[in-house]
Amino acid sequence: MQTTTVSELFSILNQSSILIKKQRQIPYLEALSATGRYIYEDRIGEEGIKKELETLYAHFFHEGMTAEEIRRAFQLAILKGMKEAHLPNHELTPDSLVLLFGHIVSLLMNERPFSVLDPAVGTANLLTGIMNQAKAEDVAAYGADTDGLLLNLAVTNANLQQKDIHFFHQDGLKPLLIEPCDIVVCDVPVGIYPDKKTAETYELNEIGGKAYTHFLFIEQGIKALKDSGYLLYLIPNRLFSEDRERHFHRFIHRHAVILALLQLPLSLFKNQEAAKSVLLLQKKERETAQANQALLAEMPSFSNQEELRRFMRKMDDWFARRL
Ligand code: SAM
C-alpha cells in the first residue's frame, strides 16, 4: 500500500469538501458525501466552483490504485469530519480493528465465496475493509443503519471503492429482508434500546431488567446466520458483568459455540468502562464441529509490533488447526 497515494487521495477529498462546505454552508461530512458522489458519477453539481473541482478530481482515479487505498483516504476524511461535528453517536471502527476483522474473515472463509451482513454498518469502513481483504472474488454484502448521514457516506464509500453492497436505511434490529448469511460482523452500538415493542420480539430483551442494544444485536446476528455461520463482533467487555442472571450465557449455549474471545488492549480505549473485545461465535447446528478449545486471549498493545506479530502467528495457527 502506497502511503503517498492515500495522502494524495485524502488531500483531494479534503480540499473538495472544504470548498463545497464553504460554498453551500453545510457540514464537512455532508460536503464529503457530495464530493464522493461527484467523483464516481463524474458529474459536478456546484456551478460556482465547478472548474476548481474538475481540476482536483482529474487526479483521483489512476492506474494501479487499490480500493483499500481509497478506503483509507476516505476514512481519514470521515475522521476529520467527525472531529469537527462532535456528534457522540458518530463513530468509526478504528483501522487496526478493521484489519484484524478482515484477517479473521479471510482465515474463516479462505477462497470460498460468502455473504456478509453488518446490521449497524455506519460508514461501511469495517465492511469494505473486510471485503478488501477477502480472498474470494464473490462476496455478497449487506449493511443496515438508522443514521441517514452515515449511510450516505457508506454508499459513497462503497461506490468509490467499486464495492457492490446492498444498503438498508432501517433499524438493524427490525426484520431484515435478506437470506441467511455466512458471516455477520458488527461494531455493536452500546446502550439501552428505546423501541420497547421491537425489543419484546427478542429473547434477550430483559438483561437485568433492561433491553440493551448490544445484547439484541447479538441475537439479531445469530438469527441472520445460516446454520454453522460465523458471528464476528466488537462487543463491550462489560456485557459479561451485565449478564448477572446468565440469560445471555444460556442463550449462547443453546444457539452457538464460542470460538474465540480476544480482549483488546486497554490503550485503544478512553477507559476501562469503554474497553471492548472481539467475539467470534459459530451458529449451532447438529453437525457443527465443536472447537476443542475456544481461543481466549488478551491481545498485546497494537504499538508493540514484535508482540503483535507473535500473537497473530499464534492466532493463525489456532485457526489452521481448527478449520
Ligand atoms: N462499523 C461502522 C463503521 O465502520 O463506520 C461503525 C459502527 S458505529 C460503532 C455503530 C453504528 O450503529 C452507528 O453507525 C449507529 O448509527 C448505528 N446504530 C445504532 N443503533 C442502531 C440500530 N438500532 N439499527 C441500525 N444501526 C444502529
Side-chain angles (χ1 to χ4, degrees), residues 91 93 119-123 125-126 145-147 150 171-172 187 189 217:
E91 275 177 49
T93 307
V121 71
T123 64
N125 190 42
L126 176 62
D145 207 288
T146 38
D147 190 302
L150 295 184
D171 185 334
D187 176 353
F217 264 102

Side-chain angles (χ1 to χ4, degrees), residues 54 64 138 255 265:
E54 263 169 11
D138 200 1
H255 298 284

Side-chain angles (χ1 to χ4, degrees), residues 71 75 78 82 89-94 98 118-129 143-148 150-151 154 157 168-174 176 185-190 193-195 213 217 234 276:
R71 181 188 71 78
Q75 169 183 253
I78 294 172
M82 284 184 170
N89 298 330
H90 284 178
E91 275 177 49
L92 195 68
T93 307
V98 172
D118 184 341
V121 71
T123 64
N125 190 42
L126 176 62
L127 187 56
T128 55
D145 207 288
T146 38
D147 190 302
L150 295 184
L151 209 63
N157 200 2
F168 303 90
H169 186 190
Q170 69 155 82
D171 185 334
L173 293 174
K174 294 223 165 123
L176 293 160
V185 296
C186 194
D187 176 353
V188 285
V190 179
Y193 182 58
D195 179 347
T213 313
F217 264 102
L234 189 63
K276 295 188 179 176

Side-chain angles (χ1 to χ4, degrees), residues 77-101:
I78 294 172
L79 280 172
K80 178 177 170 178
M82 284 184 170
K83 225 170 168 180
E84 254 183 54
H86 298 298
L87 293 169
N89 298 330
H90 284 178
E91 275 177 49
L92 195 68
T93 307
D95 207 36
S96 48
L97 300 182
V98 172
L99 298 180
L100 179 67
F101 271 53

Side-chain angles (χ1 to χ4, degrees), residues 2-288:
Q2 296 261 5
T3 330
T4 42
T5 310
V6 174
S7 55
E8 279 159 15
L9 293 176
F10 166 70
S11 168
I12 295 172
L13 295 170
N14 183 43
Q15 286 180 62
S16 158
S17 304
I18 292 172
L19 282 170
I20 298 171
K21 173 184 162 177
K22 229 168 154 186
Q23 172 83 359
R24 281 213 257 143
Q25 300 290 311
I26 54 173
Y28 182 93
L29 285 176
E30 280 178 38
L32 175 64
S33 184
T35 292
R37 209 173 49 248
Y38 296 155
I39 295 175
Y40 71 76
E41 286 178 356
D42 198 16
R43 199 160 45 87
I44 301 173
E46 305 285 337
E47 278 319 313
I49 49 174
K50 200 168 173 173
K51 274 264 153 323
E52 282 155 282
L53 295 181
E54 263 169 11
T55 316
L56 271 174
Y57 301 164
H59 306 287
F60 193 83
F61 291 111
H62 53 267
E63 226 183 301
M65 78 193 295
T66 63
E68 186 60 4
E69 284 161 345
I70 299 181
R71 181 188 71 78
R72 297 245 176 127
F74 203 70
Q75 169 183 253
L76 291 175
I78 294 172
L79 280 172
K80 178 177 170 178
M82 284 184 170
K83 225 170 168 180
E84 254 183 54
H86 298 298
L87 293 169
N89 298 330
H90 284 178
E91 275 177 49
L92 195 68
T93 307
D95 207 36
S96 48
L97 300 182
V98 172
L99 298 180
L100 179 67
F101 271 53
H103 183 70
I104 295 177
V105 170
S106 75
L107 288 173
L108 291 170
M109 300 320 292
N110 214 338
E111 282 166 12
R112 271 178 294 158
F114 64 92
S115 51
V116 56
L117 160 72
D118 184 341
V121 71
T123 64
N125 190 42
L126 176 62
L127 187 56
T128 55
I130 287 172
M131 293 170 85
N132 287 341
Q133 281 191 69
K135 292 185 196 143
E137 293 276 306
D138 200 1
V139 178
Y142 307 88
D145 207 288
T146 38
D147 190 302
L149 173 60
L150 295 184
L151 209 63
N152 275 342
L153 286 164
V155 172
T156 308
N157 200 2
N159 281 329
L160 280 178
Q161 295 183 55
Q162 301 186 354
K163 292 277 174 286
D164 192 8
I165 302 177
H166 300 266
F167 288 107
F168 303 90
H169 186 190
Q170 69 155 82
D171 185 334
L173 293 174
K174 294 223 165 123
L176 293 160
L177 292 175
I178 57 170
E179 294 292 316
C181 288
D182 296 297
I183 304 194
V184 180
V185 296
C186 194
D187 176 353
V188 285
V190 179
I192 305 285
Y193 182 58
D195 179 347
K196 283 210 168 70
K197 217 165 149 214
T198 304
E200 278 166 13
T201 62
Y202 283 81
E203 271 184 59
L204 296 176
N205 74 335
E206 283 210 22
I207 301 280
K210 293 187 183 115
Y212 287 107
T213 313
H214 36 290
F215 286 106
L216 301 182
F217 264 102
I218 296 179
E219 184 173 337
Q220 175 72 324
I222 291 177
K223 258 191 245 166
L225 280 174
K226 292 179 183 167
D227 284 350
S228 301
Y230 297 102
L231 176 142
L232 179 64
Y233 273 22
L234 189 63
I235 55 158
N237 290 352
R238 64 184 163 91
L239 177 146
F240 295 100
S241 56
E242 284 164 352
D243 183 34
R244 269 182 224 106
E245 289 140 5
R246 300 182 50 95
H247 285 325
F248 175 67
H249 179 90
R250 285 192 292 275
F251 174 87
I252 290 300
H253 224 70
R254 278 201 305 282
H255 298 284
V257 179
I258 295 189
L259 299 185
L261 183 64
L262 310 176
Q263 202 174 318
L264 294 163
L266 250 185
S267 53
L268 287 182
F269 307 98
K270 273 185 238 136
N271 51 42
Q272 184 96 35
E273 178 67 359
K276 295 188 179 176
S277 294
V278 175
L279 173 68
L280 174 64
L281 300 178
Q282 186 168 23
K283 183 168 174 169
K284 253 186 191 164
E285 61 156 342
R286 227 171 292 145
E287 302 90 75
T288 298

